[in-house]
Amino acid sequence: MQFDDDADLDTSEVQDVRGSRIPGGRATVGGGIAGLIALLLGLFFGVGPDQLGLSSGNDEPAASSSSLAQVQQSCRTGRDANAKEDCRIVAVVNSVQDFWRPEFQRRNATYYPAQTVLFTNRVGTACGSATSAVGPFYCPGDRKVYLDLGFFDELRTKFGSNGGPFAQAYVVAHEYGHHVQNLMGTLQRSQDGRTGRDSNAVKVELQADCYAGVWARHATRSPDDRTGRPLISSLDDNDIRDGLDAAAAVGDDRIQEKFQGRVTPESWTHGSAEQRQQWFYQGYRTGDMGQCNTFR
C-alpha cells in the first residue's frame, strides 16, 4: 500500500491523546486474566466499553497541547504516511472518509465524519472508560473510533497475523464500517445481548468487514477533496492478502482455540476466521455496500 507522496493529510480527523492523563474515573480492566478476557470479548467490538461491562464514568480524553500537536506537526503529507505508522493511520482515516462521503451522497444520504482518537493505555469516552486491553473500538455515543497503536504489535505477536500496513488499514476501515452502521441505524441490532454463529452481534461485525472491503475496492479511485487525486496511489494483491490474513487472525474460532483450547460457537460475537475473510472479500470483490447484507 502506497500513498501519494504529495498529498496533504487532514489531521483534524485524528485526535492524538497519547501520553495524556485521563481525569477522574477508573478503568476496571487491567492486565493478566481480566485484560485477556476483555480482549477476547472486546476485540473489534461495534460498541463502546460500557457494553462490555468495562465502563467507569464517561470522562472525555484530556489531551495536553504537546500530544495534540504530535500528529499535526509530523503528519503533513502522503510522504509522511509512507514513512510513519501514526501518519499512516491519519492517511487511512482520510481515505476511508473520502470514500464514504460521496457514497452516502450517491445514495441521497449524508455522511457525518468521525474522528479517530489515538491513545495509550487508557482512555475516557462517551461510552465509558477503557484500557488498551479491549482492542480498537467504535463508540456510537460520541461517534469516534478509539485506537492504541500498540494493538498492531499484538495483532502479530499474540494473534499470529502477518501484519503489514494494509492489515492496519483493515482494522481502521472495519471500525469506520461500524460508524457507517451507526449512521444507517443498523449498529444497534448488535446490542440485543445474544451471541452465537447466527447472532446479530456476529452479523454486525461481518457487515463491518464487508464495508472495509468495499472501501478497499475503491481506495485507489476515491479522489481526495484537497487534491482531486486518490490519497492511496497503490494497493496490490499482497495488501489484500494481508487484510484477509488479519481478518482470519481475529476470527472467534481462532482466538478461542488459541486462548482457551476449544471452540465454542455459541459464544461467538464476531464470526469465524472463514466468515470474516468471506465477507471482507465479498465487499472487495463487488465494491458494493448493497452486497453487504449479512442479515439475510
Side-chain angles (χ1 to χ4, degrees):
M1 181 172 67
Q2 197 75 12
F3 299 95
D4 176 3
D5 280 343
D6 297 323
D8 294 325
L9 301 185
D10 181 2
T11 56
S12 71
E13 294 184 347
V14 175
Q15 183 182 4
D16 189 355
V17 300
R18 292 174 293 176
S20 64
R21 298 183 63 182
I22 308 301
R26 66 187 187 284
T28 59
V29 178
I33 292 297
L36 177 59
I37 292 173
L39 183 63
L40 296 184
L41 290 174
L43 191 67
F44 298 137
F45 214 75
V47 292
D50 57 332
Q51 301 295 328
L52 303 175
L54 311 182
S55 176
S56 59
N58 57 352
D59 308 293
E60 288 292 331
S64 65
S65 58
S66 59
S67 69
L68 279 173
Q70 188 169 332
V71 294
Q72 292 176 350
Q73 291 177 350
S74 64
C75 302
R76 297 182 179 275
T77 67
R79 184 175 288 104
D80 297 324
N82 286 322
K84 304 172 187 176
E85 183 180 57
D86 52 1
C87 300
R88 182 186 307 139
I89 300 306
V90 174
V92 170
V93 169
N94 290 171
S95 174
V96 169
Q97 301 202 105
D98 282 344
F99 168 70
W100 286 116
R101 285 187 191 94
E103 180 65 14
F104 267 58
Q105 186 176 20
R106 191 173 69 84
R107 295 172 179 272
N108 297 316
T110 301
Y111 178 81
Y112 297 95
Q115 281 191 325
T116 286
V117 179
L118 302 181
F119 72 98
T120 51
N121 300 324
R122 183 162 69 108
V123 69
T125 82
C127 297
S129 297
T131 70
S132 302
V134 302
F137 64 91
Y138 171 72
C139 173
D142 54 25
R143 293 182 174 178
K144 292 181 180 180
V145 171
Y146 290 87
L147 173 64
D148 186 329
L149 295 181
F151 170 78
F152 294 131
D153 290 329
E154 294 186 343
L155 188 60
R156 290 184 297 102
T157 60
K158 286 187 178 181
F159 298 98
S161 167
N162 291 333
F166 191 77
Q168 298 175 1
Y170 155 72
V171 171
V172 174
H174 172 100
E175 294 305 334
Y176 274 88
H178 288 314
H179 179 56
V180 170
Q181 291 170 323
N182 190 33
L183 295 178
M184 297 179 67
T186 54
L187 181 60
Q188 61 189 8
R189 298 176 72 168
S190 69
Q191 300 175 36
D192 59 8
R194 298 180 181 179
T195 61
R197 187 194 305 266
D198 297 319
S199 66
N200 282 340
V202 166
K203 291 174 182 177
V204 162
E205 295 298 329
L206 296 179
Q207 187 177 61
D209 282 334
C210 189
Y211 287 164
V214 171
W215 159 75
R217 167 55 65 186
H218 297 280
T220 58
R221 300 195 295 268
S222 298
D224 182 74
D225 290 342
R226 292 168 294 282
T227 67
R229 302 187 305 273
L231 186 53
I232 297 179
S233 58
S234 175
L235 193 66
D236 61 25
D237 290 344
N238 289 330
D239 294 313
I240 300 305
R241 278 194 287 270
D242 283 345
L244 289 166
D245 179 74
V250 291
D252 282 323
D253 53 341
R254 293 272 187 96
I255 293 175
Q256 289 177 340
E257 180 67 36
K258 185 176 184 65
F259 292 103
Q260 66 184 31
R262 68 186 189 283
V263 177
T264 54
E266 65 274 10
S267 64
W268 287 1
T269 57
H270 292 74
S272 68
E274 181 180 5
Q275 286 176 307
R276 300 200 72 166
Q277 285 187 318
Q278 172 194 338
W279 281 102
F280 172 79
Y281 192 71
Q282 167 86 347
Y284 180 72
R285 180 181 61 82
T286 66
D288 180 5
M289 67 181 297
Q291 300 298 314
C292 293
N293 185 1
T294 56
F295 295 94
R296 288 185 299 202

